[in-house]
Amino acid sequence: MAAADRPVVVDLAARRGDRRGPARADSPAPLLRAVYGEILRDERRDQDRTLADVARAVGMSKQYLSEVERGRKEPSSEMLHSVCGALGLPLEHLLARGIRRLAVTRRVETGTPALLPQEGSRRSGHARVELLAA
């Protein structure tokens, strides 16, 4: 197997500087709203933007945006679309990143390593997401 094709194990908590540590096997799976909120907060911080700046662009209070980012409020799909638009983050990227984080969490809970393609490999940065209607 070539070096570029070998998967790498990524500790997302350490990568983000998260002080909460790795997920424990006895902890419940995260709520989807908490995962989306964490992604939105990471994206906002990566852009060096304030809560007030993004909230103003969306037309919501910074308190509400803060609660969304902390996973305390369940935003509507329209609200997620608006926040993503203000951050320049396509909604499908939010969904794909959410799926990847949930998959990593599930792998941590089951004890199997989370394998992600290495930077520079053919599949790097390309997540396949299929949404199926019931």
Short mmCIF file of all heavy atoms in Angstrom, two decimals, residues 16 35-50 53-54 69 83-90 93-94 97 100-101:
data_model
loop_
_atom_site.label_atom_id
_atom_site.label_comp_id
_atom_site.label_asym_id
_atom_site.label_seq_id
_atom_site.Cartn_x
_atom_site.Cartn_y
_atom_site.Cartn_z
N ARG A 16 -8.89 19.86 17.60
CA ARG A 16 -9.62 21.10 17.89
C ARG A 16 -9.14 21.74 19.18
O ARG A 16 -9.59 22.82 19.54
CB ARG A 16 -11.11 20.81 18.02
CG ARG A 16 -11.82 20.53 16.74
CD ARG A 16 -13.32 20.54 16.95
NE ARG A 16 -13.75 19.85 18.12
CZ ARG A 16 -14.11 18.56 18.17
NH1 ARG A 16 -14.06 17.84 17.10
NH2 ARG A 16 -14.50 18.01 19.29
N VAL A 35 -23.72 18.30 17.22
CA VAL A 35 -22.71 18.09 16.19
C VAL A 35 -22.73 19.26 15.20
O VAL A 35 -21.68 19.83 14.88
CB VAL A 35 -22.94 16.75 15.46
CG1 VAL A 35 -22.02 16.61 14.26
CG2 VAL A 35 -22.75 15.58 16.42
N TYR A 36 -23.91 19.63 14.73
CA TYR A 36 -24.00 20.76 13.79
C TYR A 36 -23.54 22.05 14.44
O TYR A 36 -22.84 22.85 13.83
CB TYR A 36 -25.43 20.93 13.27
CG TYR A 36 -25.86 19.88 12.27
CD1 TYR A 36 -27.19 19.63 12.04
CD2 TYR A 36 -24.92 19.15 11.54
CE1 TYR A 36 -27.60 18.69 11.11
CE2 TYR A 36 -25.31 18.20 10.62
CZ TYR A 36 -26.66 17.97 10.40
OH TYR A 36 -27.05 17.04 9.49
N GLY A 37 -23.91 22.26 15.70
CA GLY A 37 -23.48 23.47 16.41
C GLY A 37 -21.97 23.55 16.54
O GLY A 37 -21.37 24.61 16.36
N GLU A 38 -21.35 22.42 16.84
CA GLU A 38 -19.89 22.37 16.97
C GLU A 38 -19.22 22.70 15.63
O GLU A 38 -18.23 23.43 15.58
CB GLU A 38 -19.51 20.97 17.44
CG GLU A 38 -18.07 20.80 17.80
CD GLU A 38 -17.82 19.41 18.36
OE1 GLU A 38 -18.02 19.22 19.57
OE2 GLU A 38 -17.44 18.52 17.57
N ILE A 39 -19.76 22.17 14.55
CA ILE A 39 -19.21 22.44 13.22
C ILE A 39 -19.35 23.91 12.88
O ILE A 39 -18.41 24.54 12.37
CB ILE A 39 -19.89 21.56 12.16
CG1 ILE A 39 -19.54 20.09 12.39
CG2 ILE A 39 -19.51 22.00 10.74
CD1 ILE A 39 -20.41 19.11 11.63
N LEU A 40 -20.52 24.49 13.15
CA LEU A 40 -20.74 25.90 12.85
C LEU A 40 -19.80 26.78 13.68
O LEU A 40 -19.23 27.75 13.17
CB LEU A 40 -22.20 26.29 13.11
CG LEU A 40 -23.21 25.65 12.16
CD1 LEU A 40 -24.64 25.94 12.63
CD2 LEU A 40 -23.00 26.13 10.73
N ARG A 41 -19.62 26.43 14.95
CA ARG A 41 -18.70 27.21 15.80
C ARG A 41 -17.27 27.09 15.29
O ARG A 41 -16.55 28.10 15.22
CB ARG A 41 -18.78 26.74 17.25
CG ARG A 41 -17.74 27.45 18.14
CD ARG A 41 -17.92 27.11 19.58
NE ARG A 41 -18.99 27.95 20.09
CZ ARG A 41 -19.50 27.85 21.31
NH1 ARG A 41 -19.05 26.95 22.14
NH2 ARG A 41 -20.45 28.67 21.69
N ASP A 42 -16.84 25.89 14.94
CA ASP A 42 -15.49 25.70 14.40
C ASP A 42 -15.29 26.53 13.13
O ASP A 42 -14.26 27.18 12.97
CB ASP A 42 -15.22 24.22 14.08
CG ASP A 42 -15.08 23.36 15.33
OD1 ASP A 42 -14.93 23.92 16.43
OD2 ASP A 42 -15.11 22.12 15.17
N GLU A 43 -16.28 26.53 12.26
CA GLU A 43 -16.19 27.29 11.00
C GLU A 43 -16.12 28.79 11.28
O GLU A 43 -15.31 29.50 10.70
CB GLU A 43 -17.39 26.97 10.11
CG GLU A 43 -17.32 27.60 8.74
CD GLU A 43 -16.21 27.04 7.86
OE1 GLU A 43 -15.80 25.88 8.04
OE2 GLU A 43 -15.74 27.80 6.99
N ARG A 44 -16.96 29.27 12.20
CA ARG A 44 -16.95 30.70 12.54
C ARG A 44 -15.61 31.11 13.13
O ARG A 44 -15.03 32.14 12.75
CB ARG A 44 -18.08 31.02 13.54
CG ARG A 44 -18.12 32.46 13.99
CD ARG A 44 -19.22 32.73 14.98
NE ARG A 44 -19.16 31.94 16.19
CZ ARG A 44 -18.35 32.18 17.22
NH1 ARG A 44 -17.49 33.19 17.17
NH2 ARG A 44 -18.37 31.41 18.30
N ARG A 45 -15.09 30.30 14.03
CA ARG A 45 -13.79 30.61 14.65
C ARG A 45 -12.65 30.53 13.64
O ARG A 45 -11.71 31.32 13.71
CB ARG A 45 -13.53 29.67 15.81
CG ARG A 45 -14.40 29.99 17.01
CD ARG A 45 -14.12 29.04 18.15
NE ARG A 45 -14.82 29.44 19.35
CZ ARG A 45 -14.90 28.69 20.44
NH1 ARG A 45 -14.32 27.50 20.48
NH2 ARG A 45 -15.55 29.13 21.49
N ASP A 46 -12.73 29.57 12.72
CA ASP A 46 -11.70 29.48 11.68
C ASP A 46 -11.66 30.75 10.83
O ASP A 46 -10.61 31.11 10.30
CB ASP A 46 -11.96 28.27 10.76
CG ASP A 46 -11.62 26.95 11.42
OD1 ASP A 46 -10.97 26.97 12.50
OD2 ASP A 46 -12.00 25.90 10.86
N GLN A 47 -12.80 31.41 10.70
CA GLN A 47 -12.88 32.65 9.93
C GLN A 47 -12.61 33.88 10.79
O GLN A 47 -12.72 35.01 10.32
CB GLN A 47 -14.27 32.78 9.29
CG GLN A 47 -14.58 31.72 8.27
CD GLN A 47 -15.97 31.84 7.69
OE1 GLN A 47 -16.63 32.87 7.82
NE2 GLN A 47 -16.44 30.78 7.06
N ASP A 48 -12.29 33.68 12.06
CA ASP A 48 -12.05 34.77 13.01
C ASP A 48 -13.22 35.76 13.05
O ASP A 48 -13.02 36.97 13.09
CB ASP A 48 -10.75 35.52 12.69
CG ASP A 48 -9.52 34.67 12.93
OD1 ASP A 48 -9.55 33.87 13.88
OD2 ASP A 48 -8.55 34.80 12.16
N ARG A 49 -14.42 35.20 13.08
CA ARG A 49 -15.62 36.04 13.15
C ARG A 49 -16.26 35.91 14.52
O ARG A 49 -16.14 34.88 15.19
CB ARG A 49 -16.61 35.65 12.04
CG ARG A 49 -16.03 35.94 10.67
CD ARG A 49 -16.93 35.54 9.54
NE ARG A 49 -18.14 36.34 9.54
CZ ARG A 49 -19.15 36.09 8.70
NH1 ARG A 49 -19.09 35.08 7.84
NH2 ARG A 49 -20.23 36.84 8.72
N THR A 50 -16.95 36.95 14.93
CA THR A 50 -17.61 36.95 16.23
C THR A 50 -19.04 36.45 16.11
O THR A 50 -19.62 36.43 15.02
CB THR A 50 -17.65 38.37 16.83
OG1 THR A 50 -18.46 39.19 15.99
CG2 THR A 50 -16.25 38.95 16.97
N ASP A 53 -21.16 39.27 14.74
CA ASP A 53 -21.01 39.46 13.30
C ASP A 53 -21.88 38.49 12.51
O ASP A 53 -22.64 38.88 11.61
CB ASP A 53 -19.54 39.31 12.91
CG ASP A 53 -19.30 39.37 11.42
OD1 ASP A 53 -19.91 40.23 10.76
OD2 ASP A 53 -18.50 38.56 10.92
N VAL A 54 -21.79 37.20 12.84
CA VAL A 54 -22.56 36.19 12.11
C VAL A 54 -24.05 36.33 12.41
O VAL A 54 -24.88 36.26 11.49
CB VAL A 54 -22.05 34.78 12.44
CG1 VAL A 54 -22.91 33.71 11.78
CG2 VAL A 54 -20.59 34.63 12.02
N GLU A 69 -24.87 26.95 18.62
CA GLU A 69 -23.50 26.44 18.57
C GLU A 69 -23.19 25.50 19.73
O GLU A 69 -22.39 24.58 19.58
CB GLU A 69 -22.50 27.60 18.59
CG GLU A 69 -22.41 28.35 17.29
CD GLU A 69 -21.33 29.42 17.30
OE1 GLU A 69 -20.75 29.69 18.39
OE2 GLU A 69 -21.05 29.98 16.23
N VAL A 83 -27.43 30.39 8.45
CA VAL A 83 -26.14 30.47 9.14
C VAL A 83 -25.02 29.98 8.21
O VAL A 83 -23.96 30.60 8.12
CB VAL A 83 -26.15 29.68 10.47
CG1 VAL A 83 -24.76 29.67 11.11
CG2 VAL A 83 -27.17 30.28 11.43
N CYS A 84 -25.27 28.87 7.52
CA CYS A 84 -24.28 28.37 6.57
C CYS A 84 -24.00 29.41 5.49
O CYS A 84 -22.85 29.62 5.10
CB CYS A 84 -24.77 27.07 5.93
SG CYS A 84 -24.63 25.64 7.00
N GLY A 85 -25.05 30.08 5.01
CA GLY A 85 -24.88 31.12 4.00
C GLY A 85 -24.02 32.27 4.51
O GLY A 85 -23.15 32.77 3.81
N ALA A 86 -24.26 32.67 5.75
CA ALA A 86 -23.47 33.76 6.34
C ALA A 86 -22.01 33.37 6.50
O ALA A 86 -21.12 34.23 6.44
CB ALA A 86 -24.07 34.16 7.69
N LEU A 87 -21.75 32.08 6.69
CA LEU A 87 -20.38 31.60 6.86
C LEU A 87 -19.73 31.19 5.54
O LEU A 87 -18.56 30.84 5.50
CB LEU A 87 -20.35 30.41 7.82
CG LEU A 87 -20.72 30.70 9.27
CD1 LEU A 87 -20.87 29.41 10.06
CD2 LEU A 87 -19.67 31.60 9.91
N GLY A 88 -20.52 31.20 4.45
CA GLY A 88 -19.99 30.76 3.17
C GLY A 88 -19.74 29.26 3.15
O GLY A 88 -18.88 28.77 2.43
N LEU A 89 -20.49 28.54 3.95
CA LEU A 89 -20.36 27.09 4.06
C LEU A 89 -21.56 26.44 3.38
O LEU A 89 -22.69 26.61 3.84
CB LEU A 89 -20.33 26.69 5.55
CG LEU A 89 -20.30 25.22 5.89
CD1 LEU A 89 -18.96 24.59 5.49
CD2 LEU A 89 -20.55 25.02 7.39
N PRO A 90 -21.35 25.73 2.28
CA PRO A 90 -22.49 25.07 1.65
C PRO A 90 -23.17 24.11 2.62
O PRO A 90 -22.49 23.41 3.39
CB PRO A 90 -21.86 24.32 0.47
CG PRO A 90 -20.58 25.04 0.19
CD PRO A 90 -20.11 25.53 1.54
N HIS A 93 -21.96 20.63 2.84
CA HIS A 93 -20.70 20.44 3.57
C HIS A 93 -20.97 20.28 5.06
O HIS A 93 -20.31 19.47 5.73
CB HIS A 93 -19.74 21.59 3.32
CG HIS A 93 -19.18 21.61 1.93
ND1 HIS A 93 -18.09 22.36 1.59
CD2 HIS A 93 -19.56 20.97 0.79
CE1 HIS A 93 -17.83 22.19 0.31
NE2 HIS A 93 -18.71 21.35 -0.20
N LEU A 94 -21.93 21.05 5.58
CA LEU A 94 -22.32 20.89 6.99
C LEU A 94 -22.83 19.48 7.22
O LEU A 94 -22.43 18.81 8.19
CB LEU A 94 -23.39 21.91 7.37
CG LEU A 94 -24.00 21.75 8.77
CD1 LEU A 94 -22.98 22.07 9.85
CD2 LEU A 94 -25.23 22.62 8.92
N ARG A 97 -19.90 16.91 6.94
CA ARG A 97 -19.02 16.98 8.11
C ARG A 97 -19.71 16.39 9.35
O ARG A 97 -19.08 15.74 10.18
CB ARG A 97 -18.59 18.42 8.36
CG ARG A 97 -17.57 18.89 7.32
CD ARG A 97 -17.35 20.37 7.33
NE ARG A 97 -16.67 20.85 8.52
CZ ARG A 97 -16.34 22.12 8.72
NH1 ARG A 97 -16.61 23.04 7.81
NH2 ARG A 97 -15.73 22.49 9.83
N ARG A 100 -19.50 12.63 9.09
CA ARG A 100 -18.15 12.15 9.41
C ARG A 100 -17.91 12.18 10.91
O ARG A 100 -17.33 11.25 11.48
CB ARG A 100 -17.10 12.98 8.67
CG ARG A 100 -17.00 12.63 7.20
CD ARG A 100 -15.74 13.18 6.58
NE ARG A 100 -15.58 14.61 6.73
CZ ARG A 100 -15.94 15.51 5.82
NH1 ARG A 100 -16.48 15.13 4.69
NH2 ARG A 100 -15.73 16.79 6.04
N ARG A 101 -18.33 13.25 11.59
CA ARG A 101 -18.11 13.33 13.04
C ARG A 101 -18.91 12.28 13.78
O ARG A 101 -18.42 11.69 14.75
CB ARG A 101 -18.45 14.72 13.56
CG ARG A 101 -17.41 15.73 13.16
CD ARG A 101 -17.50 17.01 13.93
NE ARG A 101 -16.56 17.97 13.37
CZ ARG A 101 -16.34 19.15 13.90
NH1 ARG A 101 -16.97 19.52 14.99
NH2 ARG A 101 -15.48 19.96 13.34
#
